[in-house]
Amino acid sequence: MQHYQQYIEANKERFLQELFDFLRIPSVSTDPKFKADVRRAAEFLRDKLLEAGADKAQLFETAGHPIVYAEKIVDPQAPTVLVYGHYDVQPADPYELWQTPPFEPVVKKTDIHPNGAIFARGACDDKGQVYLQLKAFETMVKTHDLPCNVKFMIEGEEECGSGNLEPFLHEYKNMLKADVILISDTSIISNDTPSIECGLRGLSYLEVTVTGPKRDLHSGVYGGAVANPINVLCEMIASLKDAKGRITIPGFYDKVQELSPEERALMAQIPFDEEAYKKDLGVEALFGEEGYTTIERASIRPTLDVNGIWGGYTGEGAKTVLPSKAHAKISMRLVPDQDPDEITQLFTKHFLSIAPPYVKVEVHPHHGGKPVVTPIDSPGFQAASRAFEQAWGKKPIPTRGGGSIPIVALFEEVLGLKSVLMGFGLDSDAIHSPNEHFGLFNFYKGIETVPLFYQHFKELAK
Amino acid sequence: MQHYQQYIEANKERFLQELFDFLRIPSVSTDPKFKADVRRAAEFLRDKLLEAGADKAQLFETAGHPIVYAEKIVDPQAPTVLVYGHYDVQPADPYELWQTPPFEPVVKKTDIHPNGAIFARGACDDKGQVYLQLKAFETMVKTHDLPCNVKFMIEGEEECGSGNLEPFLHEYKNMLKADVILISDTSIISNDTPSIECGLRGLSYLEVTVTGPKRDLHSGVYGGAVANPINVLCEMIASLKDAKGRITIPGFYDKVQELSPEERALMAQIPFDEEAYKKDLGVEALFGEEGYTTIERASIRPTLDVNGIWGGYTGEGAKTVLPSKAHAKISMRLVPDQDPDEITQLFTKHFLSIAPPYVKVEVHPHHGGKPVVTPIDSPGFQAASRAFEQAWGKKPIPTRGGGSIPIVALFEEVLGLKSVLMGFGLDSDAIHSPNEHFGLFNFYKGIETVPLFYQHFKELAK
C-alpha cells in the first residue's frame, strides 16, 4: 500500500490540475448546444487514459455522444475489472444561484470539507469520481503493481438516459468481457462513516401536457366559462398522492418488495441526525410516506416527484391570460421488483383516465431504469468492503441508495456482470444542484482506496 | 349623419394607414425593455390629436408611462365628453404562435370578418378603438359639426394596473371636469347584434411562491424524504375550487350580489350558440360553476384562474431535480359588491393558512380593480343606445362583461362620473392572445357611430 501512497503524494498537485481541466469542459449531454464540448471531454479522457498507461484508448461513435473505451491486459489468467462511469454532466441552470461559475473550478473550504472541496458542475457527479479511478489506474501502472486487467467504459449520456449504451454493450460484448464492473458514482454516509451502496432505486420519467382551449384566451372574457388547463393539471397532480404520502396510481405498489423486520432493524442502525438533515435542507419539517423513517423513504420506498412545471405567462409583471396549455415533467423512483416500463404504462393509463372531458391530455415517456440490489456476499462487494476497511480503518456499512443508475440493471442483463458501487461522494455535495462540489479528502482517499480493491479482488475472484 | 359618412368615405384609406403606424409601435407597458416605445406611442397620439383639430394636446409625465391629454372646447354651455382609452398593449408572447408578426399589421379576411380584419397586437385592445374615437373626433371637427366639448385622456399603463392614473385624476380634477366618460375598450355580441356593456367584473391578482428545501436537490437522493414544493403548490391550488366549480376561500362569496330571476331571464335572451363557442375554442366540453349558464359564468359570477405557473427544470430533456421553489400567478374576477382589497386579503389569509408545515409560502398582491355596473337609464347610456340604433338599425342589448377595466370604478370615485362603454370589438378578436385582430367593418362603423353619440348626448344631457 505504501508504494501507492508515495506515488499519489508525489503527483497529487498534477492530479488536481488535470481534474480542473476536465471540469472546465461543459459536457452537458441533454442540451444539443453543448454537443461539441461533450466530444471534447471524451477526447480529453482518451488522451489521459493513454498517458496513464492504457495499451489502447479510443472513442466509439454512437448515434449520440461517443463512448470512451480503454484497456490494459497484464495477464490473461488474472481477473478483469471493467470500470464504468460517465463524462457528461447535468445542466447547470439556474446559473445565477452558483456562487462561482459552474465550469470554472475552484477549491473552497466548508464546514463538512475543512480541507477544501472542488466546486464545479460534475465535480462529484461524475467527473471527480471517474478521474480518481483514472488516477488510481495510473498509480498502479506506474508503481508496477496492477493486480488485475483493467477495461474502462466511460459514456457521455448518463444524465439523459444512456440511450445508446445498450446497442454498444450488445455489439461489443466480447471486447467488454470481464469479471466485475466497478463504478464510482455514488456517496458514502460521511467522511467518518464509509459505506457501499448495495441497492439503487429505479426510475420512470414522463412529460405530460394538458390542453384546454386551442389558443390562449383573455381570462376576463372567458374565465369561469372554460376549464383552465393549469388548474386542471394541478388537480390531476394533486390526486396522484394521498394525505399519507402514498401514491394513488392503481397497481403501483403491487410488485414492491417489503423489507423484512431484520433488514429494517439493520437500516435503523445507519447514523442519521434528523435535526442536522433539516438544517442542511433549510426545512422546518420533513414529509413522506406514513409508516416509514426518512432513510427508508429515501431508499427502499418508491416515490413520485414533479421535476418541472410550466404554463401560461411567467415573465415579469401581470398578464391576465387563460392559457391553452400546461406542462409538467414527472418522475417516479422505483424499488425492487417494480419494472419501469410497467410503471410507465400504469402511470400513463391512470393519468389519461383521470383527465376530465374538457381538456386533452398527452403523456410522453422519457428514459427509465430498473431498480437493483447487489448481494453482499459477492467477491466484488467483499473486495470493496475490505479495501474500505483497510484504507479508512472502518468496515463500510451496506446502504440502499435513493438515486438511480439505470444501466446497472442493464449490465447484468446484457453482460451478465454484477456492479460494485464504490462511491466517494457525500449527499451534501449538491449533485444536480447549484454549487455542486467534491471534497479534496474524498478525491485523494478514493485514489488510495481503489488499488486495494484490485488487490483484494485478485484474491477473492479466484 | 350624411356629412359625417362622406368625410369618412373620403379619408378612410388614410385613417387605416395612420392606425397601421400606431400599431407598429410595440408599446408593451408591463415590460421595462419597451419603455422608449411606449413613449413613442404617446407622442404619436399627441401629434395626431393636434392634426385632428384639438386646441391643445400634450404628454403629462407620471412616475411611470406618460398620459396623453387633449381638448377642444366649442361652447362652455355644451356638455363635455371625456374620452378615456389606453395606448399601451399586452405582451405579445408567445411570438411563435403568431401567423404574422405582432407589430407588423396586415389585413386578412376571416370567416367572421369577410371584409378583412387588421391583425396586430393592440388592434382591438385598445389602439384600434382609441383610434376610431380619434377619427370620429376629426370627422366632427372637419365637418364643422362637433356638438359637445371633447377631452381626451389616453393612458399608457392599463395593461399593468394603471398605477399612476389615480394621482393624475386627483391632481388634475379641474382640468378633467366633464359630464360623461366615453370608453371604447369592450366588445359587441356580433357584427349583427350590437350591444353595450353595462357591467364589468373586478380583478384581484396575486403571485405566490412555495419554497421547500433551500436549494434544488437530487430527486433520487432526497425524493420521498422531503416535500416537493411543486407537488405542494399543485395541492394548494387544487384545493381552491371544489368539484362543482365553486371557490373554497372562506368569505369569498359573502358580498356577491345574486341577479334577480327577472335579470337572469333577460340575460338568457342573449344569443348564444354553445356549439359554435366550443368549436371556436377547440374544446369538447365546457366547465364552470354549477347552476349557472356559460354567459352567466363569464359575466355575473366570480372566478379564479391560474394565469401562470413555473418551477423546477423546464428546458429540453430530462433533469431529475427536486426543486427549491414553485411559483404561480393567480387572479380572480369579481362581481358587485366584492371588494378587490378585501378579496386579496381573504385569499392571502386562506392561502397562507392551508400551507403545510414543510414549506414556506409567500403571497404578493398585484394590481386589482372594483367591479362596476352602469344604470341603463342614464343620459350617457341612452345616448349610446340611440347612436347604435341609428347607425346599426338595431337596438343594442345591454350586457355584463367578463373582463375588468378597473379605472371605471376609480373615475366614479374621484371624478364623480359614470362611464359609457361603447366598444366595437368581438370576443373572437383574440385580445391578450396571439393573432389579435380587429375588423375593418368594426373600425369604420365605430367611426360612424361615435359622432351620433355626441349628437344624442347633446340633447339628453340638458
Side-chain angles (χ1 to χ4, degrees), chain A residues 214 216 281 307 321 329 433, chain B residues 214 216 281 307 317 321 433:
Chain A
K214 63 186 181 190
D216 288 353
L281 300 181
N307 303 113
V321 61
K329 295 182 197 272
S433 307
Chain B
K214 64 187 181 191
D216 289 353
L281 300 182
N307 304 113
V321 62
S433 306

Side-chain angles (χ1 to χ4, degrees), chain B residues 112-397:
Chain B
I112 292 177
H113 296 289
N115 293 334
I118 308 147
F119 278 75
R121 170 56 89 238
C124 179
D125 174 28
D126 184 37
K127 285 170 163 171
Q129 303 209 50
V130 162
Y131 216 67
L132 70 83
Q133 285 283 349
L134 213 154
K135 295 296 105 179
F137 168 66
E138 176 191 316
T139 300
M140 291 183 281
V141 169
K142 303 296 186 191
T143 58
H144 310 291
D145 188 1
L146 175 59
C148 306
N149 305 312
V150 193
K151 295 180 179 180
F152 282 84
M153 175 177 62
I154 314 295
E155 64 149 326
E157 296 181 340
E158 194 272 348
E159 297 293 5
C160 57
S162 304
N164 291 298
L165 188 60
E166 189 169 354
F168 175 82
L169 297 180
H170 283 287
E171 194 175 343
Y172 294 101
K173 225 167 129 167
N174 259 351
M175 180 181 83
L176 297 169
K177 272 197 152 84
D179 296 288
V180 73
I181 300 182
L182 183 62
I183 306 180
S184 293
D185 198 12
T186 50
S187 53
I188 46 178
I189 289 168
S190 75
N191 284 353
D192 301 310
T193 312
S195 55
I196 300 174
E197 301 247 353
C198 59
L200 292 164
R201 293 202 283 200
L203 181 72
S204 170
Y205 197 114
L206 308 106
E207 200 158 314
V208 303
T209 300
V210 176
T211 304
K214 64 187 181 191
R215 61 176 189 273
D216 289 353
L217 301 177
H218 186 281
S219 76
V221 175
Y222 293 95
V226 296
N228 180 323
I230 302 180
N231 291 64
V232 173
L233 177 60
C234 288
E235 285 152 21
M236 292 174 73
I237 286 173
S239 78
L240 293 176
K241 282 204 225 185
D242 64 22
K244 301 186 177 193
R246 219 168 142 82
I247 293 148
T248 59
I249 297 165
F252 184 80
Y253 290 96
D254 285 2
K255 297 202 174 150
V256 169
Q257 289 299 321
E258 294 278 346
L259 260 60
S260 65
E262 293 77 27
E263 287 172 303
R264 290 186 74 181
L266 261 169
M267 283 201 83
Q269 291 174 21
I270 294 171
F272 179 69
D273 181 344
E274 186 163 306
E275 288 313 306
Y277 189 83
K278 290 194 297 189
K279 186 161 179 278
D280 175 47
L281 300 182
V283 296
E284 300 277 323
L286 301 174
F287 174 76
E289 196 184 356
E290 199 178 87
Y292 295 92
T293 66
T294 294
I295 288 191
E296 290 176 330
R297 290 167 175 171
S299 64
I300 54 100
R301 298 301 294 169
T303 70
L304 184 146
D305 277 290
V306 181
N307 304 113
I309 192 167
W310 69 105
Y313 182 67
T314 60
E316 207 179 311
K319 187 175 188 215
T320 48
V321 62
L322 196 160
S324 171
K325 290 180 185 291
H327 314 257
K329 295 183 197 274
I330 301 175
S331 61
M332 289 156 284
R333 296 289 172 167
L334 314 176
V335 298
D337 294 321
Q338 289 177 307
D339 178 84
D341 290 336
E342 189 184 348
I343 293 296
T344 294
Q345 278 170 34
L346 289 176
F347 177 97
T348 303
K349 182 173 168 195
H350 175 68
F351 202 73
L352 292 174
S353 80
I354 61 173
Y358 12 88
V359 294
K360 296 181 188 63
V361 174
E362 297 158 62
V363 180
H364 299 286
H366 278 243
H367 64 277
K370 286 194 165 94
V372 280
V373 173
T374 298
I376 60 180
D377 58 3
S378 60
F381 187 91
Q382 283 299 314
S385 192
R386 292 181 194 191
F388 266 113
E389 200 172 354
Q390 198 178 336
W392 296 60
K394 230 174 173 178
K395 224 173 139 107
I397 297 177

Side-chain angles (χ1 to χ4, degrees), chain A residues 52-56 70-75 80 137 141 146 148-152:
Chain A
D55 296 333
K56 61 181 191 182
E71 65 175 49
K72 185 167 186 66
I73 307 298
V74 290
D75 174 4
T80 302
F137 167 67
V141 169
L146 176 58
C148 305
N149 305 312
V150 192
K151 295 179 179 180
F152 281 86

